[in-house]
């Protein structure tokens, strides 16, 4: 079997990359040791956010991606919701930081609106009134990650892409072949889109890629009548995302779903691939959610789940060709933003691989920055 490009990883990033390459007429094979969207993607909340990214390269990628999400034509089948986001500051210091964030966002064209307590109460009547400041981001959206991955891979397969699941990669020869438990695939180009396992996969090609797993957990409540109308989160979430601390980072993030359950996040900690459920982390999530929405104190938790996000040392995705291994490409390192950044990541890598013109500057995401 031969293919122009082999993508390792059938999550949202691999799916989006396969779609963009297939759209350009490139023959693509996607391989995964497990099932479609069976890794990091299945543990995501599905956020398509601009509000949590300060002006810079990642925000540029997020805005390009958001445009692409809307132009893909997906809708109810992936539960795409233009729900908008609301950031709340709980202290005077946090309020000052939030005002600065919205100001800098508006300067680069993001729709960021400082809202009054009255407007906040109208938008989220169940939200606590113990808020020093709030901002509304109408552009923030949400999708169901597994459904979105399936839709992208279905579109790619209609264009000729091949999907091989249950095929663990056992070896990589950049420029020649990928060897899997299901056989070998001849190829000139390999794309590593294996999320937090990308460093291990790159090592099969003799490459050094500094991607580590960063654990996150989410609580899911029983279905309730509409209570949370936006993605609502404490502004401290921004500091947790940007933190380099390996210990537990937690901030209150609450959002509803079309089916009724409420998703409660978010935690971050670097503990390797330890998948044990930690009650202390769940307690922090629950307390944070109730502090934002006191009415949640009487709502039952239905389940909890966790996942590993691909963490890069400088908090930026890694997109492009390995400078020391021609034919070895990366699309990884998005940490918790992979769902939102997937379409733009796929388009950027496809442009680089085929000699096209990227719509986003690829330089900040180059693997060469780690050399």
């Amino acid at each position: 079997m031969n293919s122009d490009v082999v993508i390792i990883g059938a999550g949202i990033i691999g799916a989006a990359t396969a779609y963009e390459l297939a759209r350009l007429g490139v023959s693509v094979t996607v391989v995964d040791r497990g099932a479609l969207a069976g890794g990091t993607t299945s543990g995501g909340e599905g956020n398509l956010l601009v509000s949590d990214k300060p002006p810079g390269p990642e925000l540029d990628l997020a805005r390009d991606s958001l445009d692409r999400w809307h132009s893909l034509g997906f809708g109810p089948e992936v539960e795409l919701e233009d729900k908008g986001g609301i950031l709340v500051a709980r202290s005077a210091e946090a309020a000052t930081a939030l005002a600065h964030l919205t100001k800098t966002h508006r300067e680069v064209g993001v729709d960021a609106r400082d809202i009054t307590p009255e407007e906040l109460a109208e938008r989220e009547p169940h939200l606590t009134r113990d808020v020093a400041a709030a901002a509304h981001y109408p552009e923030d959206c949400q999708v169901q990650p597994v459904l979105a991955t399936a839709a992208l891979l279905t579109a790619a397969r209609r264009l000729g892409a091949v999907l091989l699941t249950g095929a663990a990669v056992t070896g990589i020869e950049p420029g020649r072949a990928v060897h899997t438990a299901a056989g070998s695939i001849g190829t000139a180009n390999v794309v590593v889109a294996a999320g937090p396992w990308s460093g291990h996969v790159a090592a099969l090609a003799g490459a050094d890629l500094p991607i580590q797993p960063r654990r996150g957990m989410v609580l899911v409540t029983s279905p309730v009548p509409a209570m949370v109308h936006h993605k609502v989160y404490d502004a401290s979430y921004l500091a947790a995302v940007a933190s380099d601390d390996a210990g537990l980072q937690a901030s209150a993030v609450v959002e509803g779903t079309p089916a009724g359950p409420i998703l409660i996040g978010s935690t971050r900690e670097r503990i390797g691939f330890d998948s044990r459920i930690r009650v202390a982390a769940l307690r922090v999530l629950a307390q944070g959610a109730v502090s934002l929405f006191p009415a949640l104190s009487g709502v039952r938790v239905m389940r909890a789940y966790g996942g590993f996000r691909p963490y890069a040392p400088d908090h930026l995705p890694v997109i492009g060709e390995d400078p020391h291994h021609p034919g070895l490409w990366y699309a990884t390192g998005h940490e918790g933003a992979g769902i939102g950044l997937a379409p733009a990541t796929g388009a950027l890598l496809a442009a680089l691989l085929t000699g096209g013109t990227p719509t986003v500057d690829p330089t900040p995401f180059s693997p060469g920055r780690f050399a």
Side-chain angles (χ1 to χ4, degrees), residues 119-145:
E119 290 173 311
L120 180 61
E122 183 178 349
R123 290 189 173 280
E124 291 291 348
H126 297 284
L127 183 68
T128 178
R129 298 295 173 258
D130 181 23
V131 172
H136 177 219
Y137 281 80
E139 295 172 288
D140 284 353
C141 301
Q142 185 179 19
V143 295
Q144 209 293 330

Side-chain angles (χ1 to χ4, degrees), residues 301-328:
V301 170
M302 182 168 61
R303 66 186 179 98
Y305 66 89
F308 300 104
R309 307 176 176 113
Y311 169 89
D314 59 1
H315 301 281
L316 284 178
V318 184
I319 307 168
E321 189 175 23
D322 189 304
H324 307 296
H325 300 272
L328 183 65

